């Protein structure tokens, strides 16, 4: 199946089969794919937390407001977080990034208020989310991107403050339960191409 067919067939799963296990090799592939995700000036301001522990997932579910059932059912939860302690992140950048990129980052950092810098870093997490969603489809996994959760509760549960991180989005993954998923048989709706694509030749 090519990439277009994958995207045509994927959808946001609304119910998962909690008994169907994700092969470990697929989880390892997803880790490596996320590691290779591109970011602006290759700054990589994110961390990915893979959660399979049933008890931790149950606690994550309590912070997930409207998606508790899916968090509990999914075999794997990936929490996408961003650097929130900018001093600690500066140290990471200086130790792990080539000097010309460090200089570039410092120029960007100096050009905006700290609050804007944090927004810029957080927005890059969605690049990784897009890669993760596409990769999941390619791996034969279903996924449900979620923003509607209590960030503070989740950050406390996973000890993110101590790590200088802040949660941005979570991605439950697994295999759909078609018998109870109300979205599975609905036609995929997207705006026609000529309404949002402009060609300049």
């Amino acid at each position: 199946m090519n990439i277009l067919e994958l995207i045509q067939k994927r959808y946001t799963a609304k119910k998962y089969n909690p008994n169907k296990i994700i092969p470990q090799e697929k989880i390892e592939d997803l880790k490596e794919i996320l590691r290779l995700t591109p970011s602006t000036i290759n700054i990589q301001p994110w961390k990915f937390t893979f959660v399979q522990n049933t008890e931790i997932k149950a606690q994550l579910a309590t912070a997930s407001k409207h998606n508790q059932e899916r968090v509990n059912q999914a075999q794997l939860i990936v929490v996408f977080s961003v650097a929130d302690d900018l001093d600690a992140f500066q140290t990471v950048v200086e130790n792990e990034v080539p000097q010309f990129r460090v200089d570039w980052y410092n120029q960007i950092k100096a050009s905006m208020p700290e609050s804007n810098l944090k927004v810029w870093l957080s927005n890059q997490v969605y690049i990784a989310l897009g890669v993760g969603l596409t990769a999941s489809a390619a791996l034969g996994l279903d996924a449900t991107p979620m923003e509607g959760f209590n960030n503070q509760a989740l950050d406390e549960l996973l000890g993110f403050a101590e790590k200088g991180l802040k949660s941005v989005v979570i991605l439950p993954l697994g295999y759909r339960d078609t018998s109870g998923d109300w979205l599975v048989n609905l036609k995929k709706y997207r705006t026609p191409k000529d309404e949002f694509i402009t060609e300049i030749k």
Side-chain angles (χ1 to χ4, degrees):
M1 188 178 296
N2 65 33
I3 186 67
L4 178 58
E5 291 174 328
L6 285 173
I7 298 303
Q8 287 171 334
K9 290 181 177 297
R10 80 150 303 277
Y11 74 102
T12 297
K14 299 300 182 182
K15 187 173 183 180
Y16 286 93
N17 180 348
N19 300 313
K20 191 170 181 180
I21 306 299
I22 302 174
Q24 187 61 36
E25 58 266 27
K26 292 192 176 187
I27 295 175
E28 296 306 317
D29 284 348
L30 182 59
K31 290 177 182 177
E32 182 63 6
I33 290 166
L34 289 175
R35 187 183 74 84
L36 294 170
T37 295
S39 60
T40 304
I41 65 170
N42 199 28
I43 209 68
Q44 303 172 74
W46 45 55
K47 298 289 184 184
F48 311 114
T49 303
F50 281 59
V51 180
Q52 292 179 274
N53 180 281
T54 302
E55 293 181 4
I56 300 299
K57 282 198 303 176
Q59 293 178 63
L60 289 176
T62 64
S64 300
K65 298 181 181 179
H66 309 297
N67 294 286
Q68 294 187 16
E69 184 180 25
R70 284 181 280 285
V71 173
N72 276 316
Q73 292 169 344
Q75 287 290 318
L76 171 65
I77 309 295
V78 180
V79 181
F80 292 69
S81 58
V82 68
D84 192 53
D85 182 335
L86 295 183
D87 291 335
F89 183 59
Q90 183 75 31
T91 300
V92 172
V93 171
E94 291 176 356
N95 289 338
E96 298 185 7
V97 176
Q99 186 58 48
F100 79 96
R101 295 189 186 278
V102 175
D103 295 341
W104 201 348
Y105 171 70
N106 287 337
Q107 290 174 16
I108 294 171
K109 182 179 177 181
S111 72
M112 64 180 74
E114 181 177 296
S115 58
N116 290 10
L117 181 64
K118 286 187 174 184
V119 170
W120 176 67
L121 294 173
S122 292
N123 286 344
Q124 293 189 56
V125 174
Y126 290 89
I127 301 172
L129 177 64
V131 170
L133 286 168
T134 304
S136 299
L139 292 168
L141 302 174
D142 294 298
T144 306
M146 291 169 37
E147 290 182 306
F149 60 92
N150 184 329
N151 296 74
Q152 183 176 354
L154 188 147
D155 292 352
E156 289 178 0
L157 173 63
L158 297 177
F160 279 176
E162 294 84 356
K163 300 173 184 175
L165 302 172
K166 183 176 179 59
S167 58
V168 177
V169 64
I170 63 179
L171 186 65
L173 296 131
Y175 297 96
R176 68 187 71 169
D177 180 353
T178 56
S179 65
D181 190 334
W182 59 268
L183 191 56
V184 66
N185 292 317
L186 293 184
K187 182 180 178 180
K188 183 188 286 286
Y189 171 76
R190 292 295 185 273
T191 303
K193 284 186 290 187
D194 60 2
E195 291 187 25
F196 68 86
I197 293 177
T198 300
E199 291 189 89
I200 302 175
K201 297 183 178 179

